[in-house]
Amino acid sequence: MTTPGMVRLRQLRRAKDLMDRDWSQPLDIDAVAAHAGYSPYHFVRAFKAAYGESPGQYLSRRRIERAGELLRTASLSVTEICHLVGFHSLGSFSRTFKRRTGLSPSEYRDRHPHRGSALIPGCFALLWTGGFPARAPGAQQRNSGEAGARRPSLG
């Protein structure tokens, strides 16, 4: 059974998913509201009631979160990061970043050097760089020494 409240939340979730997916792109309230099936003014009120912040505040927060991640992990300038995360003005980006984090982007980078690099799992990094080291020919392959059964083939 679907209630009217569930339908409204599903519509709002569609808009939130759009902002999560396209956060670096220019998004206007009319397009996001239309995606959710709302008029712009009704959408802003409904979104804020459901999520506790306006769509603009939500999108700004997502962009600043992504900028923080890039400041920790990428060797890009603050200006490059500003544009990558969807801000058009370095001044507004820096003000918004400082208001949200308490630090300017440069101060943030200085206090968090390379802190995000561990977020990439080692196994993924190994696969991305060419795979795991090959085993010596004739070496016995077992899965943790448990039941010497052969693994099924994927091919």
Side-chain angles (χ1 to χ4, degrees):
M1 177 168 100
T2 304
T3 66
M6 289 171 61
V7 171
R8 281 192 300 272
L9 283 175
R10 187 176 305 127
Q11 290 172 306
L12 291 172
R13 182 62 194 186
R14 288 182 63 206
K16 193 175 181 193
D17 289 345
L18 174 69
M19 288 187 282
D20 285 340
R21 184 182 63 242
D22 295 339
W23 53 264
S24 66
Q25 304 301 315
L27 292 171
D28 65 29
I29 196 68
D30 294 333
V32 176
H35 188 74
Y38 279 87
S39 72
Y41 298 107
H42 187 90
F43 171 68
V44 170
R45 286 191 308 272
F47 191 94
K48 188 166 186 171
Y51 297 111
E53 58 188 347
S54 72
Q57 291 168 330
Y58 177 77
L59 185 57
S60 177
R61 182 172 56 80
R62 295 288 293 146
R63 287 175 171 167
I64 294 300
E65 288 169 356
R66 181 66 178 135
E69 184 179 325
L70 289 170
L71 286 166
R72 288 188 313 269
T73 61
S75 58
L76 300 169
S77 73
V78 172
T79 303
E80 289 171 321
I81 291 172
C82 162
H83 293 294
L84 278 174
V85 299
F87 282 85
H88 301 290
S89 160
L90 182 59
S92 65
F93 168 69
S94 295
R95 266 190 316 279
T96 304
F97 193 91
K98 186 164 187 164
R99 188 175 53 238
R100 288 230 172 241
T101 65
L103 300 168
S104 72
S106 297
E107 292 169 333
Y108 185 88
R109 174 177 271 162
D110 291 342
R111 289 206 185 160
H112 301 91
H114 308 293
R115 290 270 169 88
S117 58
L119 298 175
I120 300 170
C123 59
F124 181 77
L126 282 172
L127 286 172
W128 187 71
T129 59
F132 292 97
R135 292 183 184 248
Q140 189 176 19
Q141 295 182 9
R142 297 183 61 139
N143 57 358
S144 306
E146 300 173 3
R150 297 170 59 102
R151 287 193 237 175
S153 167
L154 294 177

